[in-house]
């Protein structure tokens, strides 16, 4: 399964090269690989009836499984479905990304649940948690630390006697309205499990938007966020210009990675930065809360933005010698015209314009053969059929694809994305999910 995506009109050689390098690197990045360890687990037939089914094994999926273990009693089985069980996209693609979360919140996530605490207490030391504990707790760290922690928890959960894992892709879920039980099917069609409670933690991948037909080849965002791969993707010995589209956290990190290359191995590199906002937004610590907690820059991205990019700073900063800002404010027509004009001089382009939820398994209800369109309550995580009443159907979502909607003290609405935010949300709602599944 790849997360790279090339626009048909802009296909080039960057994807094949970066995927090859990433595949080689992926075999070496962690000496504590969940994939290696779980091959030693004995194979057990997937239970036909389970208390719950969880699809996805990234930060949210891991947190859901832990919370369900705490809330479901009477030895209820939990079926956990994922294609890899290696910590999701954080561990696969973003190990080199500087985190924007305090180290302490990663530790809090790992210690938030009794099943997690049991894993930590029985794990050999040193391990991923002891490594986090040695870091300054109020500072930030590379996401490799978080990836190792997720691997540790994944391996521990997969050994739990009430957890049955299925390596594969969940393709469909069918609800019987009479029994109020879901039947989940995997791609191989060899795993059929029924349960009153299903949770989708299916993640998201980098978004792309239409670009002019004459645009250069796309450099995948995942590549641009991985300096060790990015540096081998761009030629060093010839002039090369990259367009970067976007103005939020991932775009600033890409600009930071590219700027570092200009000062080391790629002195002929130039960057065109396409943004609708010449000034940047930062997370700001207030009395008892963080303003723009979910939308503002934090950590290394905030530091780089303030020092090198923000407003007029770019005109005189060191980064300004290599980065040219293209002001795309003023509407879509102006933006398109600028992209069409300025990208002609680029040899590559990176789109850092957010993330798109990954496709979820198809949902059908009753005798209906058509796939049901779903609505979702972002306060509770509950899905419902759009063509009917907003009644609970035992299907829920969590994580970056289905984050909690929160109100800020300023009266704005934001989506709470982050490992600790997922955990806090799930500790609040999972007891309600489980109680509802017993009705």
């Amino acid at each position: 399964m790849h997360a790279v995506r090339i626009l048909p009109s802009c296909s080039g050689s960057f994807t094949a090269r970066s995927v090859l390098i990433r595949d080689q690197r992926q075999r070496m990045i962690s000496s504590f690989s969940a994939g290696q360890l779980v091959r030693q687990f004995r194979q057990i037939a997937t239970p036909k009836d389970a208390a719950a089914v969880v699809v996805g094994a990234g930060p949210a999926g891991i947190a859901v499984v832990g919370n369900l273990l705490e809330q479901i009693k009477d030895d209820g089985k939990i079926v956990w479905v994922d294609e890899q069980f290696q910590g999701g996209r954080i561990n696969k693609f973003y190990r080199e990304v500087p985190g924007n979360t305090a180290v302490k919140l990663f530790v809090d996530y790992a210690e938030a649940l009794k099943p997690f605490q049991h894993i930590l207490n029985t794990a050999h030391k040193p391990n991923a948690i002891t490594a986090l504990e040695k870091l300054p707790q109020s500072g930030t760290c590379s996401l490799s630390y978080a990836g190792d922690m997720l691997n540790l928890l994944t391996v521990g959960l997969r050994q739990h006697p009430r957890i049955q894992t299925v390596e594969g892709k969940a393709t469909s879920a069918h609800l019987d309205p009479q029994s109020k039980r879901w039947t989940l099917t995997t791609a191989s069609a060899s795993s059929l499990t029924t349960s009153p409670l299903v949770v989708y933690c299916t993640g998201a991948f980098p978004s792309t938007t239409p670009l002019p037909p004459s645009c250069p080849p796309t450099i995948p965002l995942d590549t641009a966020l991985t300096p060790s791969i990015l540096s081998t993707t761009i030629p060093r010995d010839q002039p090369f210009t990259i367009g970067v589209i976007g103005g939020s956290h991932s775009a600033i990190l890409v600009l930071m990675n590219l700027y570092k290359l200009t000062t080391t191995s790629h002195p002929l590199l130039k960057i065109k930065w396409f943004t609708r906002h010449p000034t940047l937004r930062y997370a700001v610590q207030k009395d008892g809360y963080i303003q723009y907690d979910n939308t503002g820059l934090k950590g290394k991205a905030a530091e780089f933005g303030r020092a090198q990019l923000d407003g007029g700073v770019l005109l005189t900063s060191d980064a300004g010698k290599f980065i040219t800002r293209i002001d795309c404010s003023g509407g879509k027509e102006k933006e398109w015209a600028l992209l069409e004009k300025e990208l002609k001089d680029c040899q590559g382009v990176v789109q850092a314009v957010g993330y798109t939820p990954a496709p979820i398994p198809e949902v059908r209800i009753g005798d209906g053969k058509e796939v049901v369109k779903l609505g979702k309550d972002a306060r509770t995580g509950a899905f419902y059929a759009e063509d009917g009443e907003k009644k609970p159907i035992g299907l829920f979502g969590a994580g970056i694809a289905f984050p909690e909607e929160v109100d800020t003290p300023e009266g704005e609405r934001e989506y709470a994305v982050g490992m600790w935010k997922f955990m806090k949300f799930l500790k609040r709602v999972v007891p309600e999910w489980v109680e509802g599944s017993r009705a």
Side-chain angles (χ1 to χ4, degrees), residues 46-75:
T46 304
K48 297 300 181 184
D49 296 294
V53 177
V54 180
V55 180
I62 293 168
V64 168
V65 170
N67 274 279
L68 288 172
L69 280 173
E70 279 200 340
Q71 298 299 322
I72 294 175
K73 310 301 181 183
D74 302 324
D75 297 325

Side-chain angles (χ1 to χ4, degrees), residues 205-209 211 218-222 224-225 243-255 258 273-275 349-355:
F205 57 90
S207 303
T208 57
T209 60
L211 294 177
T218 296
I219 300 174
L221 179 61
D222 293 341
L225 289 172
V244 177
I245 302 172
S248 58
H249 192 81
S250 58
I252 304 308
L253 290 177
V254 171
L255 291 170
L258 291 171
W273 175 27
F274 298 85
T275 178
V349 60
V350 179
Q351 293 199 59
V353 291
Y355 283 77

Side-chain angles (χ1 to χ4, degrees), residues 125-136:
K125 295 180 176 60
N127 57 46
I129 303 305
T130 60
L132 280 167
E133 291 173 339
K134 290 180 180 179
L135 299 175

Side-chain angles (χ1 to χ4, degrees), residues 177-376:
Q178 301 301 317
S179 65
K180 296 182 179 181
R181 296 185 71 85
W182 290 91
T183 299
L184 191 85
T185 307
T186 61
S188 65
S190 60
S191 298
L192 294 172
T193 301
T194 66
S195 174
L197 174 58
V198 176
V199 187
Y200 287 164
C201 303
T202 42
F205 57 90
S207 303
T208 57
T209 60
L211 294 177
S214 58
C215 73
T218 296
I219 300 174
L221 179 61
D222 293 341
T223 296
L225 289 172
T226 309
S228 65
I229 299 177
L230 180 63
S231 64
T232 62
T233 302
I234 304 168
R236 302 184 179 197
D237 57 353
Q238 64 189 59
F240 199 89
T241 302
I242 293 179
V244 177
I245 302 172
S248 58
H249 192 81
S250 58
I252 304 308
L253 290 177
V254 171
L255 291 170
M256 182 176 72
N257 289 343
L258 291 171
Y259 168 63
K260 288 180 178 179
L261 291 182
T262 68
T263 63
T264 54
S265 56
H266 292 68
L268 301 179
L269 178 63
K270 298 292 183 182
I271 304 106
K272 288 187 177 183
W273 175 27
F274 298 85
T275 178
R276 299 171 183 170
H277 307 286
T279 57
L280 301 173
R281 171 179 284 191
Y282 304 91
V284 180
Q285 183 66 55
K286 297 286 187 177
D287 186 16
Y289 72 100
I290 299 175
Q291 186 181 24
Y292 307 130
D293 186 24
N294 297 291
T295 58
L297 298 177
K298 300 177 182 177
K300 298 294 184 182
E303 293 174 8
F304 182 72
R306 286 193 179 95
Q308 302 286 348
L309 303 176
D310 204 353
V313 171
L314 183 64
L315 300 176
T316 58
S317 70
D318 291 337
K321 299 173 184 177
F322 303 92
I323 300 173
T324 300
R325 182 170 52 221
I326 310 298
D327 183 1
C328 293
S329 61
K332 292 185 177 180
E333 289 186 6
K334 176 188 174 184
E335 181 177 279
W336 184 265
L338 285 169
L339 289 169
E340 199 166 34
K341 175 185 176 183
E342 299 291 344
L343 283 176
K344 289 179 180 178
D345 301 327
C346 296
Q347 288 74 52
V349 60
V350 179
Q351 293 199 59
V353 291
Y355 283 77
T356 297
I360 64 173
E362 295 179 344
V363 173
R364 292 178 173 82
I365 297 178
D367 297 330
K369 296 183 179 180
E370 298 296 325
V371 176
V372 175
K373 293 183 178 180
L374 296 173
K376 183 173 177 294

